[in-house]
């Protein structure tokens, strides 16, 4: 009788390379969102010019409203990619609480939500102190989210939506959830902490490149989120931490 080896389940194959593809897809999806919005804007300008029988202005640049919709669509596409990729390759890991699982589940201690809020307040206090001691130059803060944080009307509303409600859960799902689990399964928990934190910080370069303490502050946020994820075996307190942190910064920035 011939004995055949059972095919490993998708969850068993979810390893470090999957973290790479997940994060690359996350980045590409945001870029694609920006390109699509830019194309629609360009087509609209061209249509208006043709309608009025005039040339397309050569020096016309997209404004903050185009930038805001680019961020919204990019975030939505990145979320769709992360969910589809994880559902396809790591569905059995979604509710597993260990470091090698994604931990999309209630925390082991409900008081962890209060701790998450407290950590958010302390982190924002740290931001205030650091910016007081090492004040940033507003003229050099030209990243997309920095621009939108100073906008008015609809662009500012879309910025708040992304910063407080959309980006935190998807970023926690990707960096402290699925990518973390894949790396932990291949290289161990400490490596997963280091790699996901460094990548998370690096992806904020556009807004922090001209203010180096910003990288350290984002790193502190990431480490607090991963502490909550590991200590209380759930992504949810980290998501609350991230939402509160961003929300408090939005309030203080006005």
């Amino acid at each position: 009788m011939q004995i055949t080896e059972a095919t490993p389940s998708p969850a068993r194959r979810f390893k470090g390379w999957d973290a790479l593809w997940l994060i690359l897809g996350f980045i590409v999806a945001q870029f694609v969102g920006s390109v699509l919005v830019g194309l629609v804007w360009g087509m609209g300008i061209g249509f208006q010019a043709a309608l009025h029988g005039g040339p397309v202005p050569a020096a016309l640049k997209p404004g903050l409203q185009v930038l805001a919709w680019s961020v919204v669509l990019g975030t939505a596409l990145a979320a769709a990619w992360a969910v589809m990729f994880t559902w396809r390759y790591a569905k059995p890991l979604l509710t597993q609480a260990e470091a090698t699982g994604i931990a999309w589940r209630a925390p082991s201690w409900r008081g962890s939500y209060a701790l998450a809020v407290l950590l958010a307040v302390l982190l924002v206090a740290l931001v205030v102190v650091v910016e007081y001691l090492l004040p940033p130059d507003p003229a050099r803060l030209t990243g997309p989210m920095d621009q939108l944080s100073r906008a008015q009307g609809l662009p500012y509303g879309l910025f708040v939506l992304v910063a407080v409600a959309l980006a935190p859960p998807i970023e926690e799902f990707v960096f402290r959830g699925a990518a973390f689990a894949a790396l932990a399964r291949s290289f161990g928990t400490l490596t997963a902490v280091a790699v996901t934190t460094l990548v998370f910080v690096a992806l904020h370069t556009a807004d922090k490149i001209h203010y180096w303490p910003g990288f350290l502050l984002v790193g502190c946020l990431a480490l607090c989120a991963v502490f909550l994820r590991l200590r209380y075996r759930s992504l949810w307190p980290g998501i609350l931490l991230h939402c509160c942190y961003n929300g408090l910064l939005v309030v203080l920035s006005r």
Side-chain angles (χ1 to χ4, degrees):
M1 181 177 64
Q2 183 179 5
I3 300 176
T4 58
E5 184 177 353
T7 303
S9 68
R12 289 179 60 189
R13 295 196 302 267
F14 196 64
K15 299 289 186 176
W17 279 110
D18 295 294
L20 173 64
W21 293 120
L22 174 62
I23 293 172
L24 283 177
F26 177 83
I27 296 170
V28 170
Q30 295 183 70
F31 175 75
V32 169
S34 298
V35 170
L36 290 176
V37 172
L39 286 174
V40 171
W41 172 80
M43 291 171 62
I45 294 297
F47 177 77
Q48 287 184 346
L51 189 64
H52 294 89
V56 177
L60 191 62
K61 295 182 179 180
L64 289 177
Q65 188 159 318
V66 174
L67 176 60
W69 282 114
S70 297
V71 171
V72 170
L73 183 58
T75 302
L77 291 178
W81 162 258
V83 171
M84 290 189 297
F85 186 90
T86 305
W87 191 264
R88 171 68 178 83
Y89 294 106
K91 181 181 176 182
L93 302 179
L94 279 172
T95 58
Q96 288 187 17
E98 296 76 14
T100 53
I102 296 173
W104 188 261
R105 61 191 297 276
S108 58
W109 178 52
R110 291 189 177 182
S112 59
Y113 294 124
L115 178 59
V117 174
L118 175 61
L119 285 175
V121 172
L122 293 176
L123 285 171
V124 171
L126 177 62
V127 171
V128 172
V129 171
V130 170
E131 291 189 350
Y132 176 78
L133 297 175
L134 299 168
D137 180 2
R140 292 172 60 83
L141 301 180
T142 57
M145 299 302 280
D146 285 321
Q147 294 182 53
L148 292 175
S149 69
R150 298 189 292 267
Q152 301 292 332
L154 180 61
Y156 181 72
L158 293 175
F159 158 74
V160 173
L161 174 67
V162 171
V164 179
L166 299 182
I170 186 57
E171 289 179 352
E172 292 305 316
F173 182 84
V174 170
F175 292 100
R176 261 66 69 180
F180 188 95
L183 289 166
R185 292 164 69 83
S186 290
F187 307 110
T189 301
L190 290 179
T191 299
V193 170
V195 172
T196 55
T197 299
L198 290 173
V199 173
F200 180 75
V201 170
L203 289 181
H204 288 76
T205 297
D207 290 300
K208 308 301 180 185
I209 187 63
H210 296 298
Y211 184 63
W212 65 264
F215 289 109
L216 300 181
L217 296 170
V218 172
C220 289
L221 169 64
L223 290 175
C224 287
V226 80
F227 161 75
L228 291 172
R229 182 256 177 274
L230 293 174
R231 177 65 179 82
Y232 300 108
R233 300 162 65 85
S234 170
L235 287 179
W236 297 355
I239 291 173
L240 179 61
L241 162 70
H242 202 154
C243 290
C244 291
Y245 175 86
N246 284 6
L248 288 171
L249 290 181
V250 166
V251 171
L252 291 177
S253 69
R254 301 302 280 188

